[in-house]
Amino acid sequence: MPPKTEPKKWKPPKGPKPIQRKNKNPIGLGRAIMHQRSKENTIEYLPDGEMRFTTDKHEANWVKLRSVTQESALDEFLNTAALADKDFTADRHSNVKIIRIDNGDGSATSQGFSLTNEQKSTIDAKQRALANDLIVPRRPYWDESMTKYQLERQENDAFLEWRRKLAHLQENNEDLLLTPFERNIEVWKQLWRVVERSDLVVQIVDARDPLLFRSVDLERYVTEVDDRKQNLLLINKADLLTRNQRITWAKYFAKKNNSYAFYSALRANQLLEKQKELGDDYSEEHIEEESDDSEETLEESVREGIKILTIDQLEELFLSRAPSEPLTEPLPGQESLLQIGLVGYPNVGKSSTINSLVGAKKVSVSSTPGKTKHFQTIKLSDHVMLCDCPGLVFANFAYNKGELVCNGVLPIDQLRDYVGPCALVAERIPKYYLEAVYGIHIQTRSREESGDIEPENPTAQELLVAYARARGYMTQGFGSADESRASRYILKDYVNGKLLYVNPPPHLEDDTPYTREECKEFNKELYVFDKLPETRQEQLREAAKAKGIEVLDLARDLSKLTFSAHTAAEANKKASSVTHGGKQAALYNAADDLDREFFNMNKVEGKLTTPFHKQQSQSGSKKHNKKNKKGKVRNLNFE
């Protein structure tokens, strides 16, 4: 055998040794995280020498400016305590008492359902008596000599006092519904800055319900800051109103001596796009304003006030209503600017109005309330500056919670209770118009279930089930109609104006609200054939021709037509119930269907020729057919 050789040992290769070099970029993600965490738990010394230490994480500025309109009881307590600068100690042996926040009386106001005329007039009288208590928080007096801590302490005290007044108002008047309002002081600070620096404060409201979006106390606050400042009420989305509705609102504002103007930011932006496509030859004069024979009988102020202003006319109105000279002194070396502040609820069209004035998309626009977080300044010209304030929900009275959802104040995607708002939609929009817009057939309750009188309007559940059946929105499991999904589509159509309803102003004589019958008469011009989408109009024309109807009246003739998923009344009675997704989805109330099946059992005829224990099995097993194979058994006839 050859001698064993020892294995060679590994030797490192010869060459220069590696040198550890320092990182040329000392700032990285890891260092940034370490630096941020070291600042979170720092010790703070207050001016009076007190030492503070907190383990809470400091939020970013955009998080602090989140709009907060509803809080739980615990969050409200903790936020109020933070404003009051209070500390707490735990008490383990204290008695715990659970307090119900809502009145829980099951009334129409708390549940969001419709009110009678008597209930509405009673609530409205109380609301008008307490209207002066709906105030906005004032910024306390400050000067440049104050420190940051002193200014924040004064602002928190003033804001806390304002919240206590509203809480006291709500506790003493439990029968009134106070709308959710902005509870974040950081958002109110944006309003304070806009009011202080603006020469003209324009309050933008929705034309479908201007009084709900208007804050009278904000106008008082503007004049309290400086009596030379001016106010203007800009009624946006005025193209959704008919001429007679604009005349009624113009007479109301003229009697109250309010400075107002009708405007449509959507129409103005559409005109700007057409001007870009067609060039300078296209002008705003192409839009024809609808005329009326009674125009000569109107007063001159009302006749001029009902016009929907163009972009140039709105700019001229701003300059004429603003003070002749800017109130804010410019910085050295700069020219003086006339500053115009735009204030209002979320989703009323502030950003769209600015985009129409500027002529280009300078501000981001979204249908979700609360898109704008900080106030923004946009230079309109060399002498005019626009200030866009974030959307603010002011404290106001409402008849029910469904109004805020239907008016677009609260986001629909975060909605949990959809029955109340949808009941409001079903009450306001006529049944025939809902069927014509969506092409559906709404099956309502029978006279036996609702009483001697057949119901005029469907319930929220009837409307949602009919819409979900027609669109195929079904839940998993039993296959019932997905009412929650259907409610989001219907409510968004209501907010966007596809389903249109306009609240009338109070009576000019005594400021009492309109009754339900008067509201129906006020909106009857909105529910005609010409207001439908073009595709629905074509379907209805073809269906009317098939029935021999020349002049189509929706309220009278719609039940005779068959189009889309809508069936005529005669055909619907003869046809059997359609079961898309099961019987639960087919009917709102399955009692009639169950009764029909039960009583039809008397007509069943059965003929049995062989006893059940002697019948041959279809499986063909030997165990059960052994005796039958050996011999034939006489069949017994049973009839």
Side-chain angles (χ1 to χ4, degrees):
M1 293 180 63
K4 294 182 179 180
T5 58
E6 295 181 359
K8 295 183 180 181
K9 295 182 180 181
W10 180 84
K11 296 181 180 180
K14 296 180 180 181
K17 295 182 180 180
I19 301 175
Q20 288 294 112
R21 301 184 181 276
K22 290 185 178 181
N23 187 7
K24 294 183 179 181
N25 185 15
I27 301 176
L29 179 60
R31 295 178 182 272
I33 294 175
M34 292 172 59
H35 179 68
Q36 182 67 25
R37 290 187 175 179
S38 64
K39 292 177 61 177
E40 287 178 357
N41 301 329
T42 55
I43 298 176
E44 180 183 2
Y45 291 94
L46 301 182
D48 55 356
E50 183 181 356
M51 184 178 67
R52 284 265 178 104
F53 175 81
T54 179
T55 58
D56 295 336
K57 294 183 178 180
H58 296 279
E59 295 179 336
N61 292 329
W62 68 271
V63 178
K64 294 179 181 179
L65 280 171
R66 287 178 301 182
S67 179
V68 180
T69 55
Q70 291 180 337
E71 291 178 323
S72 63
L74 179 60
D75 293 338
E76 184 177 1
F77 173 74
L78 294 177
N79 292 334
T80 306
L83 290 173
D85 196 13
K86 297 293 184 181
D87 293 332
F88 302 97
T89 57
D91 187 4
R92 300 190 179 187
H93 303 286
S94 60
N95 295 325
V96 179
K97 183 179 179 181
I98 300 176
I99 302 175
R100 190 185 179 103
I101 299 301
D102 55 347
N103 48 12
D105 55 355
S107 61
T109 304
S110 62
Q111 298 296 330
F113 296 105
S114 59
L115 301 172
T116 61
N117 294 330
E118 292 77 11
Q119 291 175 341
K120 191 174 181 180
S121 60
T122 304
I123 294 176
D124 184 77
K126 296 180 180 179
Q127 290 179 358
R128 286 186 282 112
L130 300 173
N132 293 330
D133 295 337
L134 298 175
I135 58 177
V136 298
R138 265 68 167 171
R139 188 179 189 181
Y141 173 78
W142 64 279
D143 52 22
E144 297 179 355
S145 61
M146 291 184 179
T147 62
K148 178 183 177 182
Y149 176 79
Q150 292 175 347
L151 180 59
E152 289 181 354
R153 182 73 269 144
Q154 288 190 4
E155 290 178 348
N156 291 340
D157 291 342
F159 187 73
L160 181 61
E161 183 64 25
W162 171 73
R163 290 194 58 171
R164 285 173 177 169
K165 289 182 180 179
L166 291 182
H168 183 69
L169 174 65
Q170 195 169 9
E171 289 176 0
N172 295 338
N173 302 276
E174 295 182 354
D175 53 343
L176 296 181
L177 177 63
L178 189 65
T179 63
F181 54 89
E182 184 58 57
R183 302 169 187 268
N184 190 357
I185 187 175
E186 299 294 333
V187 182
W188 286 105
K189 289 180 180 180
Q190 306 297 315
L191 175 68
W192 294 341
R193 295 187 180 99
V194 170
V195 171
E196 288 178 354
R197 66 183 298 171
S198 299
D199 304 323
L200 172 66
V201 177
V202 181
Q203 195 172 169
I204 302 179
V205 298
D206 196 319
R208 290 171 288 183
D209 195 357
L211 296 185
L212 179 66
F213 294 92
R214 181 192 177 194
S215 176
V216 180
D217 192 64
L218 178 62
E219 301 174 0
R220 301 194 197 103
Y221 176 51
V222 171
T223 55
E224 289 176 4
V225 174
D226 194 339
D227 55 358
R228 295 174 297 176
K229 295 180 182 291
Q230 300 295 326
N231 289 285
L232 177 64
L233 191 66
L234 186 64
I235 307 173
N236 193 25
K237 305 179 184 179
D239 55 329
L240 301 178
L241 275 65
T242 62
R243 182 179 180 83
N244 293 330
Q245 289 174 341
R246 294 203 305 270
I247 290 174
T248 305
W249 274 108
K251 290 181 179 179
Y252 176 80
F253 288 122
K255 183 182 179 182
K256 298 294 182 180
N257 297 323
N258 295 323
S259 300
Y260 70 96
F262 289 102
Y263 187 67
S264 175
L266 177 62
R267 178 186 293 185
N269 288 317
Q270 291 176 352
L271 284 172
L272 289 175
E273 293 180 0
K274 289 183 179 179
Q275 286 179 357
K276 293 179 181 178
E277 295 178 0
L278 303 178
D280 298 335
D281 297 336
Y282 190 85
S283 62
E284 299 183 10
E285 299 176 357
H286 283 240
I287 291 184
E288 297 180 359
E289 184 72 22
E290 55 183 7
S291 59
D292 194 358
D293 296 336
S294 61
E295 184 177 357
E296 299 178 357
T297 61
L298 295 176
E299 299 179 2
E300 183 67 23
S301 59
V302 177
R303 192 186 312 165
E304 294 295 328
I306 62 175
K307 294 181 179 179
I308 301 178
L309 301 182
T310 61
I311 298 176
D312 296 335
Q313 292 174 349
L314 184 62
E315 292 179 359
E316 294 176 0
L317 179 64
F318 284 168
L319 297 177
S320 61
R321 289 294 305 169
S324 56
E325 296 181 359
L327 304 180
T328 305
E329 297 182 359
L331 297 176
Q334 295 183 0
E335 297 181 358
S336 60
L337 288 174
L338 178 65
Q339 302 191 32
I340 301 173
L342 302 180
V343 183
Y345 274 68
N347 204 19
V348 294
K350 297 186 299 298
S351 302
S352 300
T353 303
I354 291 178
N355 292 334
S356 64
L357 291 171
V358 176
K361 191 172 182 181
K362 298 291 184 181
V363 182
S364 59
V365 180
S366 174
S367 60
T368 304
K371 176 66 176 177
T372 306
K373 295 293 187 299
H374 298 264
F375 85 92
Q376 308 173 53
T377 56
I378 298 95
K379 202 168 184 180
L380 187 61
S381 64
D382 295 338
H383 303 285
V384 180
M385 177 82 74
L386 297 178
C387 298
D388 182 19
C389 180
L392 266 169
V393 181
F394 298 94
N396 205 341
F397 289 123
Y399 296 108
N400 49 52
K401 298 178 181 179
E403 288 187 3
L404 299 175
V405 180
C406 294
N407 285 294
V409 176
L410 301 180
I412 297 174
D413 293 329
Q414 301 176 8
L415 183 65
R416 293 184 179 180
D417 182 18
Y418 55 85
V419 177
C422 290
L424 203 61
V425 174
E427 176 193 344
R428 291 177 172 179
I429 311 298
K431 174 178 175 291
Y432 66 86
Y433 193 77
L434 289 170
E435 294 179 341
V437 169
Y438 293 123
I440 60 177
H441 176 77
I442 304 176
Q443 185 175 353
T444 57
R445 295 164 293 172
S446 60
R447 292 187 177 182
E448 290 79 7
E449 295 175 349
S450 59
D452 297 335
I453 302 177
E454 189 172 354
E456 182 180 0
N457 296 325
T459 62
Q461 192 173 14
E462 292 169 347
L463 171 61
L464 296 177
V465 168
Y467 184 89
R469 285 174 52 196
R471 301 296 187 267
Y473 301 152
M474 301 298 164
T475 59
Q476 295 180 355
F478 293 102
S480 59
D482 193 349
E483 299 178 14
S484 177
R485 183 180 178 186
S487 65
R488 291 194 295 270
Y489 285 99
I490 293 177
L491 291 175
K492 287 182 180 180
D493 289 340
Y494 188 93
V495 172
N496 297 331
K498 186 177 180 179
L499 300 176
L500 193 56
Y501 178 84
V502 179
N503 284 279
H507 292 98
L508 297 177
E509 297 81 12
D510 50 1
D511 282 345
T512 56
Y514 275 37
T515 60
R516 296 177 63 176
E517 294 75 19
E518 291 174 339
C519 293
K520 183 178 179 181
E521 183 70 20
F522 184 75
N523 289 278
K524 68 177 183 178
E525 298 180 4
L526 300 175
Y527 312 124
V528 294
F529 178 77
D530 297 335
K531 297 292 184 179
L532 292 173
E534 295 182 359
T535 55
R536 291 296 178 200
Q537 292 184 12
E538 295 177 0
Q539 291 180 356
L540 288 174
R541 288 193 191 99
E542 296 296 330
K545 288 181 181 179
K547 294 290 184 179
I549 300 175
E550 297 180 358
V551 180
L552 181 61
D553 185 3
L554 292 180
R556 180 191 62 196
D557 303 327
L558 188 69
S559 59
K560 306 175 184 178
L561 305 181
T562 300
F563 65 98
S564 187
H566 181 274
T567 56
E570 298 177 356
N572 188 48
K573 290 181 181 179
K574 297 178 181 179
S576 60
S577 59
V578 184
T579 57
H580 298 291
K583 294 182 179 180
Q584 294 186 7
L587 296 173
Y588 158 66
N589 188 356
D592 296 338
D593 193 35
L594 293 175
D595 292 342
R596 193 182 306 111
E597 291 183 359
F598 177 78
F599 289 109
N600 284 339
M601 292 176 61
N602 296 332
K603 302 178 182 179
V604 175
E605 295 181 0
K607 294 183 178 181
L608 188 62
T609 59
T610 305
F612 67 92
H613 65 280
K614 296 272 180 115
Q615 292 182 1
Q616 293 185 359
S617 175
Q618 297 180 359
S619 62
S621 62
K622 295 181 180 180
K623 181 178 180 181
H624 299 286
N625 295 334
K626 188 173 182 181
K627 293 182 180 181
N628 295 335
K629 288 181 180 179
K630 290 183 179 180
K632 294 183 179 180
V633 181
R634 183 181 299 176
N635 294 336
L636 300 178
N637 296 331
F638 293 89
E639 295 183 1

